[in-house]
């Protein structure tokens, strides 16, 4: 059976999330930075929104360069808030997972969905799912994504890059070679700068050139493995499966009814979140570390963690959360919280029965 794979990538992720929660910066160029702290401007750009990209400001650029490009213009510079982006990411990933037969998250804002079973070779079905996903992410999180659909992971990734932001591109099996043929070799996902140069020096500029060159001659120049890799990229061949991986951490975050610094109110919300998280743990996952996540009225996020003896019930560790809450409040007098959350990490997955339930030979 032919597979149908979808690649979902959130647009200008950190910047979109910042624009969403800070209405005052919407419509302006936004640059999100990792400040190293050495001097005021040392560090690098993590991402920029599309307006800032028009000024030439891009991810990876030193902040000082970005400031020069922004000179005289109303450009907003913000520090990264990883905790917040992780929170949004986790919710989006859960939403996506619900639409897939097999699901693989590949970065904070990217995932592959295998929809082959639910769509049995029907691209209109996959397109419908993609539209639903776009709608749900927009409605639930207020941000946009770009989606590529194709017969394998590589083609879906390449398709997703074709139209951004808020794009959708479908490449059916019979369209793959045509879709790739005019692309410069450097644009093929996984072909690095050095390989691009080597190919160019042989007169190979596009995917079509690689295909015409042929596998045998490529092998002379690149060795067997790399030649096959390049050839497959030119023709859009990729058999790698969408690999479902166990999560490393689980969390739940919620908004308090009103901003507060009252320990009991915060504790009450935390206990609700514990019950909710237990539904996910299902007595099948244990954890060794717990964290309290706090987001105050100025959107400042803090995380406090504690290593505990292995546990499987999120509510059994409520006393430890109480200690973390009290510690937060005493260290931050006057600070009121808008949102609170819990996270468990250091996860172990029990496959089927737990050790206790497994009978030894002697029990028989
Ligand atoms: N990121 C980073 N440093 C980089 C590249 C990216 O910290 N050099 C972070 C910020 C991005 C996020 O990872 O928001 C996702 O990376 P993408 O490459 O998907 O870039 P964006 O989502 O920002 O933009 P695009 O719309 O091009 O996907
Ligand atoms: Ca992205």
């Amino acid at each position: 059976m032919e597979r149908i794979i979808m690649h979902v990538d959130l647009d200008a992720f950190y910047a979109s999330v910042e624009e969403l929660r800070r209405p005052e910066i919407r419509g302006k160029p936004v640059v999100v930075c990792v400040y190293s702290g050495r001097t005021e401007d040392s560090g690098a750009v993590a991402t920029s929104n599309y307006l800032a990209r028009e000024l030439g400001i891009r991810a990876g650029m030193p902040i000082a360069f970005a400031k020069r490009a922004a000179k005289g213009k109303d450009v907003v510079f913000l520090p990264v808030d990883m905790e917040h982006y992780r929170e949004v990411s986790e919710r989006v990933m859960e939403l996506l997972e619900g639409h897939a037969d097999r699901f693989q998250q590949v970065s904070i804002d990217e995932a592959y969905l295998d929809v082959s079973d639910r769509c049995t070779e029907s691209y209109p079905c996959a397109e419908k799912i993609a539209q639903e996903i776009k709608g749900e992410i927009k409605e639930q999180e207020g941000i946009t994504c770009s989606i590529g659909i194709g017969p394998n992971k590589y083609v879906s990734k390449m398709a997703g890059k074709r139209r951004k932001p808020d794009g959708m591109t479908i490449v059916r099996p019979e369209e793959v070679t045509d879709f790739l043929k005019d692309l410069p070799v450097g644009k093929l996902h996984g072909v690095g700068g050095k390989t691009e140069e080597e190919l160019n020096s042989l007169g190979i500029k596009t995917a079509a050139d690689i295909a015409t060159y042929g596998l045998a001659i490529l092998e002379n120049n690149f060795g067997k493995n790399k030649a096959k890799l390049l050839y497959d990229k030119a023709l859009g061949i990729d058999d790698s499966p969408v690999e479902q991986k166990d999560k490393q951490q689980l969390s739940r975050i919620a908004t308090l009814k009103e901003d507060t610094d009252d320990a009991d109110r915060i504790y009450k919300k935390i206990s609700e979140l514990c019950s909710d998280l237990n539904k996910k743990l299902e007595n099948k996952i244990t954890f060794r570390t717990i964290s309290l996540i706090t987001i105050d009225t100025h959107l400042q996020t803090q995380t406090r963690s504690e290593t505990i003896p292995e546990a499987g019930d999120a509510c059994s560790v409520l006393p430890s959360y109480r200690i973390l809450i009290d510690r937060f409040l005493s260290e931050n007098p006057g600070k009121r919280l808008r949102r609170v959350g819990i996270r468990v990490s250091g996860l172990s997955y029990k496959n089927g029965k737990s050790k206790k339930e497994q009978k030894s030979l002697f029990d028989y």
Side-chain angles (χ1 to χ4, degrees):
M1 191 179 82
E2 292 270 5
R3 294 185 297 157
I4 302 185
I5 311 295
M6 202 179 282
H7 179 261
V8 181
D9 181 357
L10 304 173
D11 299 321
F13 180 46
Y14 300 178
S16 308
V17 166
E18 292 295 354
E19 283 180 71
L20 189 80
R21 64 170 175 172
R22 301 173 197 268
E24 70 277 12
I25 68 171
R26 281 181 214 157
K28 294 183 184 179
V30 175
V31 186
V32 183
C33 305
V34 180
Y35 289 95
S36 70
R38 236 173 357 97
T39 67
E40 197 192 331
D41 283 345
S42 57
V45 171
T47 196
S48 50
N49 68 359
Y50 284 74
L51 284 174
R53 288 180 203 188
E54 282 171 21
L55 302 174
I57 301 174
R58 281 172 212 289
M61 184 182 260
I63 296 168
F65 281 32
K67 290 232 161 129
R68 229 168 291 151
K71 211 163 181 187
K73 302 195 179 72
D74 189 12
V75 180
V76 179
F77 285 82
L78 294 170
V80 288
D81 179 353
M82 291 313 300
E83 197 63 69
H84 182 59
Y85 311 146
R86 226 171 271 136
E87 177 194 343
V88 178
S89 164
E90 276 180 36
R91 284 198 304 262
V92 171
M93 293 301 157
E94 268 204 42
L95 183 158
L96 293 177
E97 196 169 357
H99 285 287
D101 306 320
R102 276 160 298 280
F103 172 79
Q104 181 180 2
Q105 179 175 353
V106 280
S107 76
I108 192 163
D109 79 331
E110 257 178 87
Y112 290 106
L113 284 68
D114 188 329
V115 295
S116 311
D117 298 344
R118 62 189 67 197
C119 283
T120 45
E121 301 188 13
S122 160
Y123 275 81
C125 159
E127 181 175 1
K128 190 162 159 270
I129 293 179
Q131 291 294 7
E132 279 168 18
I133 287 173
K134 276 172 162 289
E136 286 169 20
I137 295 180
K138 182 81 201 175
E139 187 175 314
Q140 187 183 303
E141 303 297 339
I143 57 178
T144 60
C145 66
S146 296
I147 299 185
I149 303 175
N152 58 48
K153 282 162 74 173
Y154 168 71
V155 172
S156 71
K157 166 95 186 173
M158 292 300 298
K161 285 205 235 185
R162 184 58 62 97
R163 273 183 276 275
K164 251 183 156 305
D166 203 10
M168 163 141 59
T169 305
I170 300 172
V171 181
R172 291 176 170 74
E174 65 274 18
E175 299 164 340
V176 170
T177 7
D178 235 28
F179 170 76
L180 294 170
K181 71 176 186 347
D182 297 328
L183 286 175
V185 292
K187 289 262 186 259
L188 303 178
H189 179 59
V191 174
K194 200 164 151 256
T195 309
E196 181 186 5
E197 273 174 35
E198 286 172 336
L199 286 165
N200 286 343
S201 71
L202 293 167
I204 304 176
K205 304 268 190 237
T206 63
D209 292 344
I210 296 181
T212 334
Y213 219 71
L215 195 53
I217 310 178
L218 284 171
E219 278 178 8
N220 292 338
N221 290 286
F222 295 95
K224 215 174 165 70
N225 291 343
K226 193 158 174 194
K228 172 87 172 79
L229 208 79
L230 288 169
Y231 194 67
D232 285 354
K233 287 193 184 304
L235 292 173
I237 299 167
D238 176 17
D239 293 329
S240 66
V242 171
E243 278 180 291
Q244 191 105 24
K245 295 206 176 82
D246 286 338
K247 293 202 171 59
Q248 301 300 306
Q249 54 183 43
L250 292 166
S251 54
R252 289 289 179 273
I253 302 185
T255 304
L256 292 152
K257 252 197 208 104
E258 52 202 52
D259 301 343
T260 185
D261 58 359
D262 181 84
D264 290 337
R265 283 192 186 174
I266 296 169
Y267 183 74
K268 187 161 168 284
K269 184 52 94 185
I270 294 292
S271 46
E272 286 168 23
L273 295 176
C274 286
S275 310
D276 192 33
L277 191 63
N278 270 344
K279 290 183 207 148
K280 189 86 189 174
L281 297 171
E282 279 188 325
N283 296 320
K284 285 191 195 132
I285 307 170
T286 61
F287 52 91
R288 299 203 58 107
T289 302
I290 62 164
S291 306
L292 172 75
I293 303 161
T294 53
I295 299 132
D296 66 29
T297 45
H298 299 288
L299 299 179
Q300 292 292 316
T301 306
Q302 292 189 38
T303 311
R304 282 178 167 64
S305 303
E306 187 86 28
T307 305
I308 51 152
E310 190 172 40
D313 174 355
C315 296
S316 71
V317 292
L318 272 167
S320 304
Y321 277 118
R322 180 71 200 212
I323 294 168
L324 292 176
I325 294 168
D326 290 338
R327 202 188 301 159
F328 171 85
L329 292 172
S330 70
E331 287 169 10
N332 294 275
K335 208 166 246 182
R336 290 183 316 139
L337 294 184
R338 176 160 297 167
R339 287 161 68 65
V340 287
I342 57 171
R343 172 180 305 129
V344 295
S345 51
L347 306 184
S348 299
Y349 290 75
K350 293 185 206 162
N351 292 322
K353 290 183 172 176
S354 70
K355 277 219 173 71
K356 265 190 199 150
E357 287 169 315
Q358 282 168 2
K359 288 190 173 173
S360 75
L361 213 54
F362 292 106
D363 293 321
Y364 293 99

